Structures are given as C-alpha cells and as structure tokens.
Amino acid sequence: YKLFTLISCTSMKMADLKGSYEKAEQEYKQHKECINTIAEEADSVKEDLSKTDQEVIKCKHHKKHYDEKRSAHLHNIQTLEGNLKSKEKEYEMSVAKAKEICLERVESRRSARSLDSEINRLKLKITSQKEQQGDREEIVRQYHEALESYKNMTQQMKNLNSFIKSLDSVMNQRLQAYAELRRFLSARCKYYFDSMLAQRGYSGSMIFDHKNETLSISVQPGQGNKADLSDMRLLSGGERSFSTVCFVLSLWAITEAPFRCLDEFDVYMDMVNRRISMDMMLKVAASQRYRQFIFLTPQNMSSLPESKIIRILRLKDPDRGQRNTQRSEDEDQ
C-alpha cells in the first residue's frame, strides 16, 4: 500500500510534471513562434535600420555639405557686408563730390548701365581734352585768372558806362548851353549890327542858319520898309563897305580876341561913310582899351584927333616904277 501510494503519488507528480512539461513545451513553442515572428520582424526592422543608418550617414554627409555651404555663405555675407560698407563710404564720398558741383540731387530715369557708359564716355572725352589742352590744374588756374580779369573788365566797363552816361549828360548840358549861348550871341550881333547901321540911317537884318552854318545879311540904305531890304551884292561900293564895317564891329562886340585887325575898310567909301565908320571904330576902340585895334588904310589919317590911345604909323610909299619894270621883264620872259 505504501508503495502503491508512493507510485500513485509519483504517477500523479509525473502526470503533473508532464502536464507542466507539455504546458511549458506549448509555451516554449509559442515563445519560439513569437521569437521567430519577432526575428522575422527584426530582419525587416534591421533592413529598415540599415536603410535608416544609410539615410543617417547620407544626411550627415548632406549636413556636412550644407554646413560647409552655410559657412561659405556666411563668409560671403561677411564679405558682402564689408563691400557694402566700402560702397557706402564710396557713395558718401561720391555724393559729397557731387554736391560740390550741384547741391540739389538730379533725378534721372536712365539706367545705371546707361549712366556708367555716359560717365565712361565723358572720362574718355576729358582724357582726350586733357591731352589736347594740358593739365587740369593749369587750365583751372588760367580759368580763374581769366575769370578775375573778366570781373575786373566788367567792373571797368560798368564804371566806363557810368562815366560815359555822365559825359553824355554833361555834353547834352554843354550842347544846350552852347545852343543858348549861340542864340544869345546871334541876338547880340543882330542888335549891334542894327545899332551901327542906324547911326548912318540904314536898316538891315542878319539871319543866322546854325544848322547849315550860313549867314544872310540884307541892308537897306536910308529909312525904308524892312520888306524892301536887299542883298549886300546889290549895294554900291561905299554902302557895302560901310555895311561890312558894321558887320565886323558887331562881330567884335561878341568875341573876346585881344587883337582886332581891319585892312582897307574904307577903300570904296565916300567921305561921309568913311568919317562915320572911323568915328564908330574909334568909339569902340576907346571903350575897349584892354584890346589892341589895328586899322590898315591907304587914306590920309591926319584928320584924326590927337589922343594918347591913337598911334599913326605911316609906311613909305612903294616904288611903282620899279615894280612896273620888274613886271614887264617877267612878261617878256
């Protein structure tokens, strides 16, 4: 019984163990199947992992490449920023130079390329002009000298124009004064002429044409109508001589010459006209002792009154016969 009981117990244990084994075997199979499934899944994961590693390596390579490009771009940006600062300085200097020429900025619709080509063309033109005309500093110096000379000349021209205007004003005043003086002298001459003619009982007129520079004299012997005045060429010799003396005396009355000379004024006068003319001239000479009067006449002046202011000089008569002989010899030759 004890053995049977032990066997029964052992059989039961074996049955239990076998059950446990089968259960464990079954679990093992399940786990193995799970492991195989996981291994199969792991292979695909490994493939994905390998692909992922390759992608990572590729991405690292790309990252390195783009890091290098980024560094290059950053370096390029720094270089461009430095160039920008340099260009800004150049721009400020260019603006300052441009303001020296023109304070106001000129807006233009032309492109930068067009302006650059224009600037290059002007530079070439400036270079050619410099080669033809010389150094710029010398030209600028000559320009400033010419400008200063021009300003001086302009100022001198202004002064001269002002002076010319003053001279024109003075000359106009002088011409007006001269015209007034000429008119007054003409009136005085006419007055003296009429006064001297009246001493002989003559009447006459003097017409001054200052524009044409002519003088017309008309005399009427005796008392008559002034409408009957006749030209001096129609008068007799004595009347014409007396009228001439009156005219000369009237001219002397309006002139300021220190010497008065009259030659053969009484050649064609009769005794009455000669006496009246001589009295008139002596009266004028006595009233103007600060002047010297010289009268030349072939007549005998012994009848003149004695006076301290009168001096008579008689010249020797010429040798008429010798003169006639000399003239005959000249005609024979």
Side-chain angles (χ1 to χ4, degrees):
Y1 179 74
K2 290 181 178 182
L3 179 62
F4 178 78
T5 305
L6 180 62
I7 291 170
S8 297
C9 292
T10 303
S11 296
M12 291 178 62
K13 288 181 179 181
M14 287 181 67
D16 293 333
L17 289 172
K18 188 177 181 179
S20 298
Y21 169 77
E22 290 176 356
K23 185 178 179 181
E25 184 71 21
Q26 188 176 0
E27 290 180 354
Y28 168 74
K29 289 180 179 180
Q30 291 178 352
H31 286 298
K32 189 174 181 179
E33 290 176 358
C34 185
I35 289 171
N36 291 330
T37 303
I38 292 173
E40 291 177 357
E41 292 178 356
D43 290 335
S44 63
V45 170
K46 285 180 180 180
E47 291 179 0
D48 293 337
L49 180 61
S50 177
K51 292 180 180 180
T52 303
D53 290 339
Q54 291 178 358
E55 288 291 332
V56 169
I57 293 171
K58 186 178 180 181
C59 289
K60 287 181 178 180
H61 178 72
H62 286 311
K63 179 179 179 295
K64 183 179 179 182
H65 172 70
Y66 286 114
D67 286 339
E68 292 177 355
K69 291 187 71 173
R70 177 177 175 276
S71 299
H73 281 298
L74 290 175
H75 179 70
N76 191 21
I77 289 171
Q78 291 178 354
T79 304
L80 291 175
E81 286 178 350
N83 292 333
L84 178 61
K85 291 181 180 179
S86 176
K87 294 296 182 181
E88 287 178 350
K89 290 182 180 179
E90 291 180 1
Y91 171 75
E92 291 176 357
M93 294 175 62
S94 299
V95 170
K97 290 181 180 179
K99 285 184 177 179
E100 292 178 359
I101 300 173
C102 181
L103 293 177
E104 296 182 0
R105 182 170 181 173
V106 179
E107 298 295 336
S108 177
R109 295 182 179 179
R110 298 173 60 183
S111 63
R113 181 176 297 178
S114 175
L115 292 174
D116 287 337
S117 62
E118 181 71 16
I119 290 171
N120 292 330
R121 187 182 66 80
L122 291 175
K123 284 182 179 179
L124 291 175
K125 187 175 181 180
I126 290 170
T127 302
S128 62
Q129 290 292 328
K130 185 182 292 185
E131 291 176 356
Q132 293 178 2
Q133 298 180 0
D135 185 54
R136 178 179 178 278
E137 294 180 356
E138 180 65 20
I139 295 173
V140 171
R141 185 185 63 80
Q142 293 178 1
Y143 164 74
H144 287 298
E145 290 179 356
L147 181 62
E148 187 66 24
S149 177
Y150 169 75
K151 289 181 179 179
N152 294 333
M153 291 296 179
T154 303
Q155 186 63 35
Q156 291 179 7
M157 286 295 295
K158 289 181 180 179
N159 296 335
L160 288 175
N161 288 330
S162 177
F163 182 66
I164 289 171
K165 289 181 180 179
S166 300
L167 285 180
D168 288 339
S169 177
V170 171
M171 288 303 298
N172 290 331
Q173 293 177 2
R174 287 172 64 89
L175 288 174
Q176 292 177 0
Y178 169 71
E180 291 292 326
L181 178 63
R182 186 176 60 187
R183 184 168 63 84
F184 291 141
L185 290 177
S186 300
R188 286 180 61 191
C189 187
K190 291 178 183 180
Y191 169 74
Y192 286 120
F193 184 67
D194 291 339
S195 299
M196 292 175 185
L197 286 177
Q199 295 183 21
R200 185 70 178 87
Y202 290 4
S203 60
S205 68
M206 298 176 68
I207 300 174
F208 288 90
D209 188 353
H210 298 291
K211 182 177 181 180
N212 297 319
E213 298 182 355
T214 59
L215 172 62
S216 300
I217 299 177
S218 300
V219 176
Q220 174 63 41
Q223 297 294 332
N225 190 352
K226 289 189 177 181
D228 298 332
L229 296 177
S230 59
D231 192 274
M232 289 187 63
R233 290 174 294 182
L234 302 178
L235 300 177
S236 63
E239 293 170 345
R240 187 163 53 250
S241 297
F242 176 75
S243 300
T244 302
V245 170
C246 293
F247 171 64
V248 171
L249 292 177
S250 63
L251 290 180
W252 284 357
I254 62 173
T255 57
E256 298 297 331
F259 299 99
R260 311 291 174 87
C261 299
L262 196 59
D263 182 19
E264 296 185 356
F265 59 90
D266 56 354
V267 174
Y268 300 103
M269 292 183 182
D270 55 13
M271 292 300 296
V272 177
N273 287 326
R274 183 179 297 114
R275 186 63 191 175
I276 294 174
S277 299
M278 201 66 204
D279 291 341
M280 290 169 56
M281 291 186 293
L282 291 177
K283 183 178 180 181
V284 171
S287 63
Q288 302 179 12
R289 296 189 180 185
Y290 52 89
R291 292 188 176 93
Q292 185 175 2
F293 292 81
I294 302 172
F295 303 111
L296 303 177
T297 177
Q299 304 296 330
N300 186 4
M301 294 288 105
S302 60
S303 61
L304 292 179
E306 295 182 359
S307 175
K308 294 181 180 180
I309 63 174
I310 300 175
R311 185 178 180 182
I312 300 174
L313 298 178
R314 185 182 297 275
L315 301 179
K316 184 179 179 181
D317 294 335
D319 191 352
R320 302 292 183 183
Q322 184 179 359
R323 183 178 180 184
N324 292 334
T325 303
Q326 185 67 27
R327 181 181 298 174
S328 298
E329 291 177 357
D330 294 339
E331 291 176 353
D332 293 338
Q333 292 177 358

